[in-house]
Amino acid sequence: MLSILRTIWLTFLHIFHKTETVEYPEVKPYLPPRYRGRIILTRDKEGEERCVACYLCASACPVDCISLQATEDESGRRYPEFFRINFSRCIFCGFCEEACPTYAIQLIPDFEMGEYDRQNMVYEKEHLLISGQGKYPDYNFYKNAGVSIGVKGKGEGDHEEKPLDLKDLMP
Amino acid sequence: MKEALNIAGVLFIALTIAAGLIWVERRLLSVWQDRLGPNRVGPFGLFQVIADTIKLFFKEDWVPSFSDRPVFIMAPGILIITILLTFAVIPFGPDFIVFDSNIGILFFLGNSSLGVYSIVLGGWASNNKYSLIGAMRASAQMLTYEVFMGLSLMGVVMMADSFSFNAIVEAQKGGWFIVPQFIGFIVFFIAGLAETHRLPFDIPESEGELVAGYHSEYSGMKFGMFFVGEYLGITLISALIATLFFGGWLGPSFLPPVFWFLLKTFFFICMFILLRASLPRPRYDQLMKFGWKVLLPLSLGNILITGAVLIFFK
Amino acid sequence: MNIFFYIAATVAIISTIMAISGRNAIHALLFLILSFLAISVVFYLLDAPFIAALEVIIYAGAIMVLFIFVTMMLNVGLERKMENKWLNPRMWIVPGLLAAILLFDLILALKVSRTIPVGNQVIQPKQVGISLFSTYLLAVEMTAILLMTGVIGAYHLGSQKKKVMHRFLEKKIKTC
């Protein structure tokens, strides 16, 4: 009985407490940089697309919302011919970001994606691709990987040594 | 002419308060839960009421094909009619009363016992198991609590020597009945909560277990009538508490009596909302047990003691 | 005054006829409630407001709710076969005749005996209470005892015996 009265009194005292909620569109909450929101495709420092169309994100996606088609340019560099994310299926789990070997696909702290038409939730490559580097600046996949393509020969990467000449006796 | 004015005034006040309560309740609950509440439509969100009403009016008024059509349509009307009829015998001021009946309290009790039908029939006519369970709970709960509601008022009747509300208010000129009739007040307040099936006693419509209980099948303005009926019920019980235990329209003369009455009523409306904000819902059998084993002996003892004291001092 | 009486009486008669002839149990009960309400209006017009209020509170408000409650739970209304068997003319021709004789008797008696004019003063609740606890004290007390037996009986039937053993174990012991 006394505890009930105490409950009522304590609830009444909440008149003098500060409100916990904010008025959303005017006051926005702080979202940490690692918040998993809208998905973007980034470019490297040179302004080239980071995506090498390896399909890892598409296969990692648990709801199959990513579809893309790989192609190559004249220098032998792979890039996606189209890259489509259906955000009405996306669950923002971030698996694609974890799967991506080139830091191309990234989730950013933006969640305001409401649309009246469901078709507008399907984002094409031109909607996804930004001109910046996103969360991981100064990273260029080709500068770190040993693969040789038209833009870079073998052993010309940042942390690479020249390939060994097997026929040479010198150390 | 005066009667017509009184009827119009009572209806206007009752319906305005009931409609305004939609907003008041949401705002007050938000205050007690550290939220902001509806504040977008109009100043302080006051037009939320109008927005809600428009929404209810334009919703599809669906009568389920499996329902008992005439009973289904009749049920919400019964609730509104019985509650509004009771407002007729409540004195809003010394002359501001529609019908000064000499059986006022009995009139209220009769109307509140007829109000049960609205919920029972609404739940039954929906032809839905959840609604039926809600109706079953409602009928048991309201039947039980009507008993104590009537008994708790008998102390007041004995002290005022009349069933008429106006006579009861007049009898409180020497002092409010809350002091000698404190137990009666407590029992009446709890019974009033159960009678309007408000939280924490909203077992008939507990949304967690029964979806919405007796009104799950209702939509549009028929649901709106249940909704407004609930607020009218709160207003009614608060007005009764103010009249019976807190001197009704009596008060210092620097304000008109109607204002005092409304002020007291509003205070108890806020109490109702505060109880909703703070207390959890008891289980069904706990509610019944509490009623029969605690409140019934309390109210009977109250009658006994009041009668004995009155006889002793007369 | 008179016209109100006749309106209320007509409503009472019609709704009672609907109540006993209705097919749907709940609808029949609703008509019965309407009949009670009409009768309470009649009481009120006969200057007995206290009885009118009690009629609404107790009969229409409390007892009929219980009736509806039970009917609701039984979910009747679909099976009419049994009812048709009960309602064949041969079953009720004798009771009907007897009832008709009684009605005739009643009309005759009403016609012969002089009616007591209804007093014009309103019977206050206080008077009802005083006569209940002085003139009719014995009847009131006996009714109270009767109701008390009902309460005790209901308590006895409704009380759950505390089970010491789980019901599965009980079954096992019985079968052993």
Side-chain angles (χ1 to χ4, degrees):
Chain A
M1 181 67 210
L2 214 67
S3 69
I4 289 174
L5 290 179
R6 187 170 165 271
T7 313
I8 296 171
W9 174 244
L10 287 181
T11 313
F12 177 74
L13 286 183
H14 271 265
I15 286 184
F16 308 109
H17 285 211
K18 203 171 119 301
T19 53
E20 299 289 343
T21 51
V22 293
E23 291 193 80
Y24 159 61
E26 288 89 33
V27 186
K28 296 211 169 155
Y30 167 72
L31 293 176
R34 290 205 281 179
Y35 185 89
R36 298 200 306 262
R38 183 160 59 85
I39 297 171
I40 51 164
L41 288 175
T42 54
R43 293 173 191 273
D44 54 25
K45 206 163 55 178
E46 286 75 31
E48 300 285 338
E49 281 177 46
R50 271 176 175 164
C51 180
V52 293
C54 63
Y55 297 106
L56 278 176
C57 50
S59 53
C61 182
V63 289
D64 292 344
C65 68
I66 303 177
S67 64
L68 67 155
Q69 171 64 55
T71 185
E72 280 183 10
D73 63 6
E74 56 275 13
S75 64
R77 181 174 169 134
R78 277 166 66 95
Y79 70 96
E81 192 181 355
F82 68 84
F83 199 105
R84 188 177 295 142
I85 297 182
N86 185 352
F87 278 108
S88 59
R89 292 182 69 98
C90 182
I91 56 171
F92 303 101
C93 60
F95 284 5
C96 47
E97 186 177 11
E98 285 175 28
C100 186
T102 66
Y103 291 145
I105 194 162
Q106 294 180 8
L107 275 71
I108 58 166
D110 170 33
F111 57 90
E112 291 159 321
M113 304 174 69
E115 293 282 355
Y116 283 105
D117 187 5
R118 190 165 293 187
Q119 203 55 41
N120 292 345
M121 296 294 284
V122 178
Y123 280 43
E124 293 293 342
K125 191 171 150 188
E126 65 259 34
H127 308 124
L128 295 165
L129 196 63
I130 62 166
S131 50
Q133 302 187 57
K135 283 184 274 191
Y136 306 99
D138 295 342
Y139 179 78
N140 189 335
F141 173 71
Y142 292 106
K143 290 272 160 63
N144 288 286
V147 66
S148 125
I149 51 162
V151 292
K152 185 203 81 165
K154 251 188 179 176
E156 288 172 13
D158 283 350
H159 310 292
E160 277 182 291
E161 291 174 353
K162 287 279 179 196
L164 278 179
D165 188 1
L166 292 175
K167 289 164 184 154
D168 190 7
L169 278 174
M170 291 300 286
Chain B
M1 185 59 212
K2 193 167 179 315
E3 275 180 353
L5 262 180
N6 273 350
I7 293 172
V10 167
L11 269 182
F12 177 75
I13 291 177
L15 289 174
T16 315
I17 291 180
L21 272 185
I22 298 171
W23 175 78
V24 169
E25 171 161 46
R26 290 176 65 182
R27 281 304 287 231
L28 278 180
L29 277 181
S30 70
V31 164
W32 282 314
Q33 291 168 350
D34 296 345
R35 293 185 288 117
L36 284 165
N39 59 357
R40 293 283 160 150
V41 199
F44 304 106
L46 261 172
F47 297 155
Q48 189 70 41
V49 180
I50 299 166
D52 280 357
T53 318
I54 290 171
K55 184 198 78 179
L56 280 176
F57 266 115
F58 284 92
K59 262 187 167 179
E60 184 187 357
D61 198 0
W62 187 63
V63 180
S65 53
F66 45 81
S67 69
D68 190 331
R69 207 182 155 86
V71 180
F72 186 86
I73 293 171
M74 198 168 62
I78 297 175
L79 186 69
I80 301 277
I81 289 171
T82 52
I83 294 174
L84 280 181
L85 269 179
T86 315
F87 274 107
V89 293
I90 294 177
F92 280 54
D95 279 328
F96 194 2
I97 178 168
V98 176
F99 173 49
D100 188 7
S101 170
N102 57 351
I103 52 160
I105 286 184
L106 294 174
F107 187 79
F108 153 65
L109 289 175
N111 267 324
S112 80
S113 62
L114 286 182
V116 184
Y117 284 116
S118 134
I119 289 154
V120 175
L121 293 177
W124 176 78
S126 300
N127 207 352
N128 166 331
K129 288 197 175 65
Y130 286 128
S131 302
L132 188 64
I133 294 173
M136 192 195 84
R137 290 181 178 183
S139 57
Q141 172 184 332
M142 290 171 84
L143 224 85
T144 305
Y145 276 78
E146 233 151 55
V147 177
F148 328 127
M149 191 176 231
L151 287 178
S152 65
L153 293 182
M154 288 310 124
V156 173
V157 172
M158 273 190 260
M159 292 190 68
D161 215 9
S162 171
F163 280 109
S164 152
F165 280 109
N166 238 349
I168 289 171
V169 174
E170 295 281 352
Q172 295 182 66
K173 277 201 166 132
W176 292 352
F177 281 162
I178 174 71
V179 183
Q181 285 296 321
F182 188 70
I183 298 170
F185 163 68
I186 295 291
V187 175
F188 183 77
F189 192 74
I190 296 172
L193 269 179
E195 194 70 14
T196 49
H197 40 87
R198 280 283 299 175
L199 279 126
F201 293 153
D202 70 332
I203 297 163
E205 48 182 306
S206 45
E207 67 281 348
E209 14 179 336
L210 295 184
V211 194
Y214 58 89
H215 58 54
S216 1
E217 297 291 351
Y218 281 88
S219 63
M221 209 47 213
K222 290 201 195 68
F223 167 75
M225 275 161 95
F226 273 123
F227 200 60
V228 172
E230 187 179 323
Y231 288 120
L232 273 175
I234 301 171
T235 318
L236 176 65
I237 297 291
S238 308
L240 281 170
I241 291 172
T243 311
L244 294 168
F245 298 100
F246 288 85
W249 42 263
L250 293 175
S253 59
F254 57 86
L255 282 174
V258 182
F259 191 84
W260 280 112
F261 174 77
L262 291 179
L263 199 70
K264 289 169 186 172
T265 306
F266 193 71
F267 175 76
F268 285 104
I269 289 173
C270 294
M271 276 300 289
F272 268 87
I273 297 168
L274 175 60
L275 284 181
R276 174 179 179 165
S278 53
L279 293 181
R281 183 186 300 140
R283 223 169 47 220
Y284 173 67
D285 60 319
Q286 287 172 332
L287 180 74
M288 300 303 274
K289 209 174 263 177
F290 178 68
W292 288 114
K293 290 189 176 166
V294 179
L295 291 184
L296 181 66
L298 257 184
S299 51
L300 285 177
N302 183 37
I303 292 179
L304 200 67
I305 293 168
T306 313
V309 170
L310 279 179
I311 287 176
F312 185 76
F313 281 109
K314 248 175 198 173
Chain C
M1 169 75 194
N2 250 341
I3 184 88
F4 289 124
F5 171 79
Y6 283 114
I7 291 170
T10 319
V11 169
I13 290 170
I14 292 172
S15 56
T16 314
I17 289 171
M18 295 294 279
I20 56 176
S21 64
R23 286 261 171 198
N24 189 326
I26 293 272
H27 289 185
L29 283 174
L30 287 181
F31 277 115
L32 191 55
I33 295 162
L34 186 59
S35 142
F36 279 132
L37 291 180
I39 289 170
S40 103
V41 171
V42 171
F43 274 131
Y44 191 83
L45 292 174
L46 292 175
D47 289 335
F50 187 68
I51 302 300
L54 285 194
E55 177 95 11
V56 174
I57 296 172
I58 294 171
Y59 284 102
I63 293 175
M64 291 315 292
V65 170
L66 287 178
F67 273 56
I68 285 200
F69 186 77
V70 172
T71 322
M72 221 164 68
M73 292 288 114
L74 294 178
N75 203 11
V76 290
L78 296 175
E79 288 144 39
R80 299 248 167 77
K81 266 186 197 161
M82 194 61 105
E83 199 179 303
N84 284 339
K85 207 160 56 180
W86 286 340
L87 282 181
N88 73 17
R90 263 194 304 176
M91 299 291 279
W92 51 262
I93 201 155
V94 176
L97 265 177
L98 290 176
I101 292 170
L102 264 186
L103 182 66
F104 184 67
D105 210 16
L106 184 68
I107 291 169
L108 266 187
L110 280 178
K111 198 137 180 135
V112 172
S113 69
R114 57 190 184 81
T115 48
I116 303 157
V118 177
N120 270 340
Q121 98 261 34
V122 177
I123 300 159
Q124 296 292 348
K126 207 171 195 171
Q127 286 161 272
V128 179
I130 288 169
S131 60
L132 273 184
F133 282 97
S134 57
T135 323
Y136 304 105
L137 182 63
L138 193 64
V140 169
E141 290 298 328
M142 278 161 77
T143 319
I145 291 168
L146 193 67
L147 288 176
M148 198 64 202
T149 50
V151 169
I152 292 169
Y155 179 75
H156 175 70
L157 289 176
S159 68
Q160 287 176 329
K161 287 170 193 69
K162 198 161 190 183
K163 275 189 179 169
V164 191
M165 214 177 282
H166 193 270
R167 58 182 196 281
F168 293 131
L169 293 175
E170 266 178 357
K171 219 181 223 168
K172 224 179 219 171
I173 286 169
K174 254 179 214 165
T175 48
C176 283

